Amino acid sequence: MTALNNRQFLLARRPVGAASREDFTFQTVPVAELAPGQIMVKSEYLSLDPAMRGWMNEGKSYIAPVELGAVMRALGAGKVIESQHPKFAVGDYVQGVLGVQDYFVGEPKGFNKVDPNLVPLPVYLAALGMTGMSAYFALLEVGQPKAGDTVVISGAAGAVGSIAGQIAKIKGCRVIGIAGGKEKCQTLIDEFGFDGAIDYKNEDIHAALKRECPKGVDVYFDNVGGDILDAVLTRLALKARVVICGAISQYNNKEAVKGPANYLSLLVNRARMEGFVVMDHAEHFAKAGMEMAGWLAQGKLKSKEHIVDGLETFPETLQMLFKGENSGKLILKV
């Protein structure tokens, strides 16, 4: 095989605040040769997720931090171009942890085969990827919505939020999305079928929650944390469920994380707040994926991808997540 060059982003230092280009080393090196049991994948699309910021930090978490000098961790989808593994053949398309690089070489731990003839490859990083699995299990297993419930979702125009809201609609709930800007709020209603929207950038969130949720909030699906979480806690209904799926407003903090001051609402309303990590549900991904694929085929669920070209743009493109510049699932086309 002709020698291939591999562009890579390595984590050079642990960021303080927002990650910048200076926190990474960009290098081009020859692609390593395969050992038995390994495959080589040419990356076509990489998933950019808020969780990546947390993976750069040192300390205990649900997953080991990216080591300094290692290729930055990223989920991706691509094509197998060489294989010494019995279960993967040249020409197979796969989804797995490819890293921020042109070529992955290694054992395909946790890799799944995907079929780009069924849906476009980016959808396997969106509705049919970890994004979809996060929305599905966080809402249905932790949030436990019932038909007629009022479900409020923050970060609703983002990857996970937009899918979680649509699933809540499929389950017969009244769905209110919180997003930043008139355009995103209109998209929630027109494109994703939400019943109402709150523009946290341009209206008082307490007044808007009172307007949209007069009977209270039965399920709050939180992707942002901070002041918005605190505001929704004041509107909880009896026996409400609060799902902590993410806290994007806090990931770049240089100070301590802002915790909820209104947590006594959980006591008063006999409510529950529970954290969620998608990998806890890995054994059920295949079944959930089949149900999600069915909803996509029936037109009940839309997968929206925001695709940016160029591996070399990675540090700046990642920041779009924290500036609210993406609409739907942010994906880097390698």
Side-chain angles (χ1 to χ4, degrees), residues 74-119:
L75 292 166
K79 188 177 184 179
V80 177
I81 59 172
E82 193 176 338
S83 178
Q84 290 199 25
H85 193 286
K87 293 185 179 177
F88 294 89
V90 172
D92 285 345
Y93 282 88
V94 295
Q95 167 209 65
V97 181
L98 300 180
V100 185
Q101 56 186 345
D102 287 305
Y103 298 94
F104 165 87
V105 173
E107 294 180 17
K109 290 179 181 175
F111 280 45
N112 298 304
K113 293 181 189 179
V114 296
D115 187 349
N117 295 313
L118 296 178
V119 296

Side-chain angles (χ1 to χ4, degrees), residues 21-315:
R21 184 168 284 271
E22 288 68 39
D23 296 314
F24 301 96
T25 300
F26 183 62
Q27 67 177 22
T28 303
V29 295
V31 176
E33 290 193 10
L34 266 66
Q38 294 186 336
I39 63 172
M40 183 187 298
V41 179
K42 187 180 191 306
S43 302
E44 295 193 16
Y45 295 96
L46 298 176
S47 174
L48 299 189
D49 301 290
M52 295 171 84
R53 178 62 189 84
W55 299 342
M56 300 177 203
N57 295 334
E58 205 163 24
K60 185 183 177 185
S61 186
Y62 61 90
I63 190 173
V66 177
E67 293 182 10
L68 294 179
V71 174
M72 182 59 206
R73 182 185 294 140
L75 292 166
K79 188 177 184 179
V80 177
I81 59 172
E82 193 176 338
S83 178
Q84 290 199 25
H85 193 286
K87 293 185 179 177
F88 294 89
V90 172
D92 285 345
Y93 282 88
V94 295
Q95 167 209 65
V97 181
L98 300 180
V100 185
Q101 56 186 345
D102 287 305
Y103 298 94
F104 165 87
V105 173
E107 294 180 17
K109 290 179 181 175
F111 280 45
N112 298 304
K113 293 181 189 179
V114 296
D115 187 349
N117 295 313
L118 296 178
V119 296
L121 208 51
V123 178
Y124 290 106
L125 299 177
L128 296 183
M130 288 300 175
T131 295
M133 296 300 103
S134 295
Y136 183 98
F137 288 105
L139 180 72
L140 300 182
E141 295 295 321
V142 182
Q144 298 177 358
K146 301 182 294 293
D149 277 354
T150 294
V151 176
V152 172
I153 297 175
S154 60
V160 173
S162 61
I163 293 174
Q166 292 178 81
I167 296 173
K169 285 299 296 178
I170 290 168
K171 296 298 181 181
C173 300
R174 183 169 175 274
V175 182
I176 308 300
I178 303 174
K182 185 178 179 181
E183 188 179 341
K184 284 187 177 180
C185 286
Q186 205 59 49
T187 297
L188 293 180
I189 294 167
D190 295 345
E191 196 167 332
F192 298 127
F194 283 44
D195 297 288
I198 295 170
D199 180 357
Y200 75 87
K201 289 185 176 179
N202 297 300
E203 60 180 324
D204 179 81
I205 193 159
H206 289 275
L209 282 165
K210 194 172 182 179
R211 178 190 75 224
E212 299 291 345
C213 311
K215 295 181 181 178
V217 177
D218 298 296
V219 179
Y220 175 47
F221 191 112
D222 188 30
N223 290 305
V224 301
D227 292 333
I228 292 176
L229 168 60
D230 226 13
V232 179
L233 285 176
T234 67
R235 295 295 304 170
L236 295 184
L238 197 65
K239 295 287 185 180
R241 287 81 69 201
V242 178
V243 184
I244 304 297
C245 188
I248 196 168
S249 73
Q250 303 297 300
Y251 292 161
N252 288 328
N253 275 11
K254 294 181 182 179
E255 301 84 30
V257 167
K258 177 180 167 55
N262 296 323
Y263 78 95
L264 284 179
S265 179
L266 297 169
L267 183 156
V268 172
N269 294 294
R270 282 78 97 196
R272 166 168 64 80
M273 182 187 288
E274 185 174 334
F276 168 82
V277 173
V278 68
M279 291 313 297
D280 292 347
H281 303 269
E283 64 185 293
H284 304 298
F285 282 177
K287 185 180 176 183
M290 288 178 67
E291 188 167 23
M292 297 274 280
W295 290 336
L296 282 168
Q298 294 162 25
K300 292 181 178 179
L301 181 68
K302 294 179 181 177
S303 182
K304 185 173 184 180
E305 296 84 44
H306 185 143
I307 299 175
V308 177
D309 271 318
L311 181 78
E312 67 282 356
T313 71
F314 164 68

